[in-house]
Every structure is written in structure tokens, then in C-alpha cells.
Amino acid sequence: MREWQVKRHERTRQLIELGGLVAKADLVELTDDDRAALYGAFLTVAAKLSGPDGAQALVLFRRKGKRAFEAEQQRDISPQSQPY
């Protein structure tokens, strides 16, 4: 595979994963799939991260995201109670 194809494949995978996060956070449903609203929300987050408290906001966002991933993983691996 050529170098540009590898880079394109990696970028495509990254975009698919990011779209998955948008769906996982229920943003598609919460905004009724309104692309302008989603973009506005992302711009708000970007402004927060580029502001004077950006580093602190990033720490908080990362912590919240890690907790959500861990909680989801716990739900996925915990034994389901059987109704029997």
C-alpha cells in the first residue's frame, strides 16, 4: 500500500472512531441529528479548551471520559443476572 493510502486509511479510521464517540454520547439523538447544533457544541468546547482555563477543562473532560469508559466496560464484563 502506498504511503498516501495508509495515511488516508488511518484518517478514515480516526474519523469513524470520532463519529462513534458522538453517537456514544447520545449527541445525535439529543440534537435531533442537527449538524449545526453539533458543530456549535464542538466550537464551544474548542473555545473552552483554547481559553485561559483550557488545561484545567481538558483534565476534567478526560477524567469524565475515562470514568464513562470504565463504567461502560464494567457493564459489558459484569455477569448478567439470570432470571432462572
Side-chain angles (χ1 to χ4, degrees):
M1 203 179 281
R2 295 185 174 141
E3 183 179 341
W4 67 269
Q5 290 173 314
V6 171
K7 287 183 179 180
R8 187 172 132 215
H9 177 72
E10 289 171 354
R11 176 155 167 72
T12 300
R13 180 176 176 87
Q14 179 188 33
L15 292 173
I16 290 168
E17 289 173 352
L18 292 171
L21 291 174
V22 170
K24 186 180 286 255
D26 290 328
L27 292 174
V28 177
E29 291 80 18
L30 291 170
T31 61
D32 197 27
D33 199 12
D34 184 335
R35 309 295 166 91
L38 287 168
Y39 189 42
F42 296 143
L43 291 173
T44 301
V45 171
K48 178 81 170 171
L49 292 173
S50 62
D53 298 328
Q56 183 179 4
L58 183 59
V59 168
L60 295 174
F61 292 158
R62 184 177 289 128
R63 187 178 304 151
K64 185 168 189 157
K66 281 181 148 182
R67 286 181 183 153
F69 277 135
E70 289 168 359
E72 181 179 309
Q73 186 177 16
Q74 288 300 319
R75 283 192 306 270
D76 290 346
I77 63 173
S78 65
Q80 300 291 328
S81 58
Q82 300 280 334
Y84 306 98

